[in-house]
Amino acid sequence: MRVLQLGSIDWSKKYELTKNLEWHFNDFPPIEKVDEKDPKKKKIEIKNYDVILITGPTNLTKKNWADLKGLVPPYQVLYLPKVLEIADNEESYFLKSIAAQEITEDPQYLINKLEERYFVGQTGMRVAAVNFKLNDRQVHSFEYLGHGELKLNLDTNNEWINLGVYKTGIYIDPGKRINFWLTMKNKNFQVRMRIFIQNPGSDGDVKDQVVIDLTKFQKDEYFSQLEVLEYYRNATISLEVKGSGELTIGTLHARWGRDGAGDFISGGKRIVDPATREDIAYYFNPGDLKPPLNVYFSGAREREGFEGYFLMKRLNAPMLLFTDMRLAVGGFYDDAEGYFGKKIIEVIKQTLKKLGFDPSQLVMTGISMGTYPAIKYGAKL
């Protein structure tokens, strides 16, 4: 991971770096080097950065800031609060247009978290309700509502019971945090997830398990309690419940997490339906802060995540991406109650207001499944 620090005190001399960090201190713009093939020529080698830390005064020109913007993803420029007080107009514009984030943590803690938060790539998988194997000894009355939901009616006599286990295992990538997310309609039950961990080269140990009480989490909070390790693991997941009445289990999602730095990609956010825990993600890139705002809806995707990022980024204009992670390939950004349509329109209006644009400075696009919301919500806006 390439990290550029701009400031007066070199953090690499003051703090301990993790082993995969390539640290650059105040070496932007890069110095001209002699071309080995032709000594009479000089060349400048410019590479992208994964993270930029601005911790103090800089001497960069307007052109330097413009060049630097193309070398780092939005939301991956971090700055100390004092930087805003001393920043000139060019630096202030850079921080705003790259969606820079204020540093509020201890520097050593932040350094330790860089690789976990700002890695390249995104992914997520779904495990449908039809892949949940019910415990026949405990559940006798159930109904599948299509592919995505399992409706149960049961009474546990105020005791915890094993509801069943997912037939599909979860691969836990080395160095990655896995965020678990379960959609469900639940009013009367306590629900907990039991995760059995199998380490490489072993058949599994019953002691290697984590129990997560899903009812203790806020509506938009991930059930993520697995330690990030340098080697891969496999997980088998079962559900346990306590209560009586009706319970509907939906899709189980497993996604690469960024420890709060964003959903799927840095800066990504979610819209969560509190009634069903279904969610849709969105991402805003300020671009050049000039009209229009380009909104793009991802098409049907087997793997979860945003589509069209690089396509829209090349426009160098403000962009807003949406992706629908429900069902096998998504859910057309809509629902019977109209909850998601209302929230999507709210997000677009808030983004227009943030940029100082009006609805005429809006372009709505989508492909495949994404053409439906582009036309429907575009007409409303």
Side-chain angles (χ1 to χ4, degrees):
M1 172 173 281
R2 284 172 53 83
V3 179
L4 170 66
Q5 185 201 348
L6 301 173
S8 54
I9 300 175
D10 188 349
W11 281 11
S12 68
K13 301 291 192 295
K14 187 176 180 180
Y15 303 103
E16 184 179 350
L17 304 184
T18 54
K19 66 178 183 179
N20 293 321
L21 292 185
E22 179 185 323
W23 199 270
H24 298 263
F25 178 65
N26 285 342
D27 59 356
F28 187 88
I31 300 173
E32 289 185 343
K33 295 181 180 180
V34 175
D35 191 332
E36 295 179 358
K37 295 182 180 179
D38 188 350
K40 295 182 180 180
K41 292 183 179 180
K42 293 183 179 181
K43 64 178 181 179
I44 298 177
E45 187 177 6
I46 299 178
K47 294 183 179 180
N48 290 341
Y49 298 101
D50 296 292
V51 177
I52 294 177
L53 303 172
I54 305 178
T55 60
T58 66
N59 296 314
L60 300 189
T61 65
K62 182 177 181 179
K63 184 181 185 306
N64 293 154
W65 287 117
D67 292 341
L68 195 58
K69 186 181 175 184
L71 300 178
V72 63
Y75 300 94
Q76 296 185 195
V77 174
L78 314 176
Y79 64 92
L80 289 176
K82 64 180 181 182
V83 168
L84 290 181
E85 301 173 6
I86 59 177
D88 57 22
N89 291 337
E90 285 74 22
E91 185 175 356
S92 297
Y93 175 81
F94 169 80
L95 293 173
K96 186 176 181 181
S97 65
I98 205 71
Q101 304 294 297
E102 183 178 313
I103 297 173
T104 59
E105 298 168 321
D106 173 77
Q108 185 62 68
Y109 181 82
L110 174 62
I111 290 171
N112 294 342
K113 287 288 185 177
L114 289 178
E115 292 179 70
E116 183 181 337
R117 294 174 179 174
Y118 302 111
F119 56 85
V120 177
Q122 59 171 343
T123 195
M125 66 173 290
R126 310 171 184 85
V127 183
V130 292
N131 289 317
F132 185 72
K133 182 175 176 58
L134 280 171
N135 186 340
D136 295 335
R137 292 175 296 178
Q138 300 287 359
V139 180
H140 302 287
S141 174
F142 64 92
E143 177 186 4
Y144 285 101
L145 305 178
H147 185 80
E149 292 185 320
L150 173 59
K151 183 178 179 181
L152 307 164
N153 201 306
L154 68 157
D155 185 349
T156 71
N157 296 317
N158 203 34
E159 295 180 353
W160 284 101
I161 68 165
N162 184 299
L163 191 62
V165 62
Y166 284 94
K167 293 182 283 186
T168 302
I170 305 295
Y171 178 80
I172 304 173
D173 300 83
K176 294 291 190 296
R177 175 183 294 273
I178 300 297
N179 285 339
F180 292 104
W181 183 256
L182 178 66
T183 62
M184 59 181 171
K185 298 173 184 176
N186 172 32
K187 292 182 178 179
N188 305 316
F189 287 86
Q190 290 178 263
V191 182
R192 64 190 185 194
M193 179 186 296
R194 191 175 294 272
I195 306 173
F196 296 90
I197 307 297
Q198 180 180 345
N199 293 311
S202 74
D203 294 327
D205 189 330
V206 71
K207 296 179 181 178
D208 295 329
Q209 58 178 277
V210 178
V211 180
I212 303 175
D213 188 343
L214 309 189
T215 51
K216 291 184 178 180
F217 288 79
Q218 301 297 320
K219 71 169 187 177
D220 58 352
E221 189 178 4
Y222 278 114
F223 318 134
S224 182
Q225 294 186 355
L226 297 187
E227 183 182 3
V228 178
L229 300 176
E230 294 184 355
Y231 52 85
Y232 78 89
R233 292 162 290 168
N234 290 294
T236 301
I237 298 176
S238 67
L239 296 179
E240 300 169 351
V241 298
K242 180 181 179 181
S244 64
E246 190 175 284
L247 172 66
T248 301
I249 300 296
T251 303
L252 173 65
H253 303 265
R255 303 162 179 165
W256 282 357
R258 294 182 177 271
D259 190 45
D263 289 289
F264 297 111
I265 58 179
S266 298
K269 297 182 179 180
R270 294 184 303 146
I271 300 169
V272 180
D273 185 342
T276 63
R277 299 188 64 86
E278 291 185 329
D279 60 349
I280 285 174
Y282 65 95
Y283 166 82
F284 170 61
N285 181 344
D288 60 3
L289 298 172
K290 299 176 182 178
L293 170 61
N294 298 280
V295 180
Y296 180 88
F297 294 91
S298 299
R301 292 174 57 88
E302 290 187 9
R303 282 286 179 180
E304 298 185 0
F306 291 100
E307 178 183 80
Y309 174 85
F310 295 104
L311 171 70
M312 303 301 288
K313 189 172 183 285
R314 282 198 293 269
L315 297 174
N316 193 33
M319 71 177 185
L320 187 59
L321 307 181
F322 286 91
T323 185
D324 186 342
M325 300 85 67
R326 301 171 296 161
L327 302 179
V329 291
F332 284 81
Y333 302 89
D334 209 348
D335 58 289
E337 290 73 27
Y339 179 85
F340 285 111
K342 179 181 177 182
K343 290 298 181 180
I344 287 171
I345 289 176
E346 283 182 11
V347 169
I348 296 173
K349 286 183 174 179
Q350 289 169 3
T351 306
L352 286 172
K353 184 178 180 180
K354 182 178 181 180
L355 291 164
F357 299 174
D358 63 57
S360 71
Q361 297 168 312
L362 176 67
V363 178
M364 302 283 280
T365 56
I367 192 170
S368 180
M369 178 181 68
T371 58
Y372 173 82
I375 294 172
K376 180 175 179 177
Y377 305 139
K380 290 188 175 184
L381 286 160

